[in-house]
Short mmCIF file of all heavy atoms in Angstrom, two decimals:
data_model
loop_
_atom_site.label_atom_id
_atom_site.label_comp_id
_atom_site.label_asym_id
_atom_site.label_seq_id
_atom_site.Cartn_x
_atom_site.Cartn_y
_atom_site.Cartn_z
N MET A 1 0.83 -1.18 0.00
CA MET A 1 0.00 0.00 -0.01
C MET A 1 0.87 1.26 0.00
O MET A 1 0.55 2.20 -0.68
CB MET A 1 -0.92 -0.04 1.23
CG MET A 1 -1.89 1.13 1.29
SD MET A 1 -3.08 1.20 -0.02
CE MET A 1 -4.38 0.30 0.65
N GLN A 2 1.96 1.24 0.78
CA GLN A 2 2.84 2.40 0.85
C GLN A 2 3.42 2.74 -0.53
O GLN A 2 3.47 3.92 -0.91
CB GLN A 2 3.98 2.12 1.82
CG GLN A 2 4.93 3.27 2.08
CD GLN A 2 4.34 4.29 3.04
OE1 GLN A 2 3.36 4.02 3.70
NE2 GLN A 2 4.92 5.45 3.09
N LYS A 3 3.84 1.72 -1.30
CA LYS A 3 4.39 1.98 -2.65
C LYS A 3 3.33 2.61 -3.55
O LYS A 3 3.62 3.55 -4.28
CB LYS A 3 4.86 0.66 -3.28
CG LYS A 3 6.23 0.27 -2.92
CD LYS A 3 6.61 -0.97 -3.72
CE LYS A 3 8.02 -1.38 -3.44
NZ LYS A 3 8.42 -2.54 -4.25
N LEU A 4 2.12 2.09 -3.49
CA LEU A 4 1.04 2.61 -4.32
C LEU A 4 0.73 4.05 -4.00
O LEU A 4 0.63 4.89 -4.88
CB LEU A 4 -0.21 1.76 -4.17
CG LEU A 4 -1.45 2.23 -4.91
CD1 LEU A 4 -1.18 2.23 -6.42
CD2 LEU A 4 -2.63 1.33 -4.60
N THR A 5 0.60 4.37 -2.72
CA THR A 5 0.28 5.75 -2.35
C THR A 5 1.42 6.69 -2.70
O THR A 5 1.19 7.83 -3.10
CB THR A 5 -0.07 5.89 -0.86
OG1 THR A 5 1.03 5.41 -0.08
CG2 THR A 5 -1.35 5.15 -0.52
N GLY A 6 2.64 6.24 -2.59
CA GLY A 6 3.79 7.05 -3.01
C GLY A 6 3.74 7.39 -4.49
O GLY A 6 3.99 8.52 -4.88
N LYS A 7 3.39 6.39 -5.31
CA LYS A 7 3.28 6.62 -6.75
C LYS A 7 2.14 7.59 -7.07
O LYS A 7 2.30 8.45 -7.92
CB LYS A 7 3.05 5.30 -7.47
CG LYS A 7 4.25 4.41 -7.57
CD LYS A 7 3.93 3.14 -8.29
CE LYS A 7 5.13 2.22 -8.29
NZ LYS A 7 4.84 0.95 -8.99
N LEU A 8 1.04 7.43 -6.40
CA LEU A 8 -0.10 8.29 -6.69
C LEU A 8 0.11 9.72 -6.26
O LEU A 8 -0.41 10.65 -6.85
CB LEU A 8 -1.36 7.74 -5.97
CG LEU A 8 -1.87 6.40 -6.47
CD1 LEU A 8 -3.02 5.92 -5.60
CD2 LEU A 8 -2.33 6.50 -7.94
N SER A 9 0.90 9.92 -5.21
CA SER A 9 1.06 11.29 -4.69
C SER A 9 2.29 12.01 -5.24
O SER A 9 2.53 13.14 -4.88
CB SER A 9 1.11 11.26 -3.17
OG SER A 9 2.25 10.54 -2.76
N SER A 10 3.04 11.39 -6.12
CA SER A 10 4.27 12.05 -6.62
C SER A 10 4.24 12.25 -8.12
O SER A 10 5.06 11.75 -8.85
CB SER A 10 5.49 11.24 -6.21
OG SER A 10 5.46 9.96 -6.83
N VAL A 11 3.23 12.94 -8.61
CA VAL A 11 3.09 13.22 -10.02
C VAL A 11 4.06 14.34 -10.39
O VAL A 11 4.05 15.41 -9.82
CB VAL A 11 1.64 13.63 -10.35
CG1 VAL A 11 1.51 13.98 -11.82
CG2 VAL A 11 0.70 12.52 -9.98
N LYS A 12 4.93 14.07 -11.35
CA LYS A 12 5.95 15.04 -11.78
C LYS A 12 5.48 15.76 -13.03
O LYS A 12 4.67 15.27 -13.82
CB LYS A 12 7.27 14.35 -12.08
CG LYS A 12 7.83 13.54 -10.93
CD LYS A 12 8.41 14.43 -9.90
CE LYS A 12 9.05 13.55 -8.83
NZ LYS A 12 9.16 14.17 -7.58
N GLY A 13 6.02 16.97 -13.21
CA GLY A 13 5.73 17.72 -14.44
C GLY A 13 4.35 18.31 -14.51
O GLY A 13 3.88 18.63 -15.59
N ALA A 14 3.69 18.42 -13.41
CA ALA A 14 2.35 19.00 -13.38
C ALA A 14 2.42 20.50 -13.73
O ALA A 14 3.43 21.13 -13.41
CB ALA A 14 1.70 18.77 -12.05
N PRO A 15 1.39 21.04 -14.32
CA PRO A 15 1.38 22.51 -14.60
C PRO A 15 1.58 23.34 -13.36
O PRO A 15 2.08 24.43 -13.42
CB PRO A 15 -0.03 22.72 -15.17
CG PRO A 15 -0.46 21.43 -15.66
CD PRO A 15 0.20 20.40 -14.81
N ARG A 16 1.24 22.79 -12.18
CA ARG A 16 1.42 23.51 -10.94
C ARG A 16 2.90 23.75 -10.65
O ARG A 16 3.26 24.74 -10.02
CB ARG A 16 0.74 22.77 -9.80
CG ARG A 16 -0.75 22.76 -9.97
CD ARG A 16 -1.41 21.89 -8.95
NE ARG A 16 -2.86 21.95 -9.13
CZ ARG A 16 -3.70 21.21 -8.50
NH1 ARG A 16 -3.30 20.33 -7.63
NH2 ARG A 16 -4.98 21.33 -8.71
N ASP A 17 3.78 22.86 -11.09
CA ASP A 17 5.20 23.07 -10.93
C ASP A 17 5.66 24.30 -11.71
O ASP A 17 6.46 25.10 -11.24
CB ASP A 17 6.01 21.85 -11.43
CG ASP A 17 5.86 20.63 -10.51
OD1 ASP A 17 5.54 20.83 -9.31
OD2 ASP A 17 6.03 19.50 -10.98
N GLU A 18 5.10 24.44 -12.91
CA GLU A 18 5.43 25.60 -13.75
C GLU A 18 4.92 26.89 -13.11
O GLU A 18 5.60 27.91 -13.11
CB GLU A 18 4.83 25.44 -15.14
CG GLU A 18 5.39 24.26 -15.92
CD GLU A 18 4.60 23.96 -17.17
OE1 GLU A 18 3.85 24.84 -17.63
OE2 GLU A 18 4.76 22.85 -17.69
N ILE A 19 3.74 26.83 -12.52
CA ILE A 19 3.18 27.99 -11.85
C ILE A 19 4.06 28.39 -10.65
O ILE A 19 4.37 29.58 -10.50
CB ILE A 19 1.74 27.70 -11.36
CG1 ILE A 19 0.82 27.53 -12.57
CG2 ILE A 19 1.24 28.81 -10.45
CD1 ILE A 19 -0.53 26.99 -12.25
N ALA A 20 4.51 27.42 -9.91
CA ALA A 20 5.38 27.72 -8.76
C ALA A 20 6.67 28.38 -9.25
O ALA A 20 7.17 29.32 -8.59
CB ALA A 20 5.69 26.43 -8.00
N GLN A 21 7.23 27.94 -10.36
CA GLN A 21 8.43 28.55 -10.89
C GLN A 21 8.21 30.02 -11.25
O GLN A 21 9.06 30.86 -11.01
CB GLN A 21 8.93 27.76 -12.11
CG GLN A 21 9.51 26.42 -11.79
CD GLN A 21 10.73 26.54 -10.87
OE1 GLN A 21 11.56 27.43 -11.02
NE2 GLN A 21 10.83 25.64 -9.91
N ARG A 22 7.05 30.31 -11.81
CA ARG A 22 6.75 31.70 -12.20
C ARG A 22 6.62 32.61 -11.00
O ARG A 22 6.84 33.81 -11.10
CB ARG A 22 5.47 31.75 -13.02
CG ARG A 22 5.70 31.33 -14.46
CD ARG A 22 4.49 31.61 -15.29
NE ARG A 22 3.79 30.32 -15.44
CZ ARG A 22 2.49 30.21 -15.60
NH1 ARG A 22 1.72 31.24 -15.68
NH2 ARG A 22 1.95 29.01 -15.73
N TYR A 23 6.26 32.08 -9.86
CA TYR A 23 6.06 32.89 -8.65
C TYR A 23 7.25 32.87 -7.70
O TYR A 23 7.15 33.38 -6.59
CB TYR A 23 4.80 32.43 -7.92
CG TYR A 23 3.55 32.91 -8.63
CD1 TYR A 23 2.87 32.06 -9.49
CD2 TYR A 23 3.03 34.16 -8.40
CE1 TYR A 23 1.73 32.50 -10.16
CE2 TYR A 23 1.91 34.61 -9.03
CZ TYR A 23 1.24 33.77 -9.93
OH TYR A 23 0.10 34.18 -10.57
N GLN A 24 8.40 32.40 -8.12
CA GLN A 24 9.56 32.37 -7.26
C GLN A 24 9.95 33.74 -6.72
O GLN A 24 10.37 33.88 -5.58
CB GLN A 24 10.79 31.76 -8.00
CG GLN A 24 10.71 30.26 -8.17
CD GLN A 24 10.82 29.54 -6.82
OE1 GLN A 24 11.64 29.87 -5.99
NE2 GLN A 24 9.95 28.55 -6.63
N ALA A 25 9.76 34.77 -7.54
CA ALA A 25 10.10 36.13 -7.09
C ALA A 25 9.25 36.57 -5.91
O ALA A 25 9.67 37.41 -5.11
CB ALA A 25 9.97 37.10 -8.26
N ALA A 26 8.06 36.01 -5.77
CA ALA A 26 7.17 36.40 -4.68
C ALA A 26 7.73 36.03 -3.32
O ALA A 26 7.36 36.63 -2.31
CB ALA A 26 5.82 35.73 -4.86
#
């Protein structure tokens, strides 16, 4: 179960990562 939940909660390359990069100056 731990492996499965780790995979489900670690999605890479999401648009939210890009948004966070744009707001680094904040």
Side-chain angles (χ1 to χ4, degrees):
M1 182 65 90
Q2 184 79 13
K3 276 186 176 182
L4 177 61
T5 57
K7 286 180 183 179
L8 293 175
S9 64
S10 64
V11 177
K12 303 285 184 205
R16 293 173 178 172
D17 290 334
E18 295 169 18
I19 293 168
Q21 289 299 321
R22 282 189 259 152
Y23 285 96
Q24 284 294 315

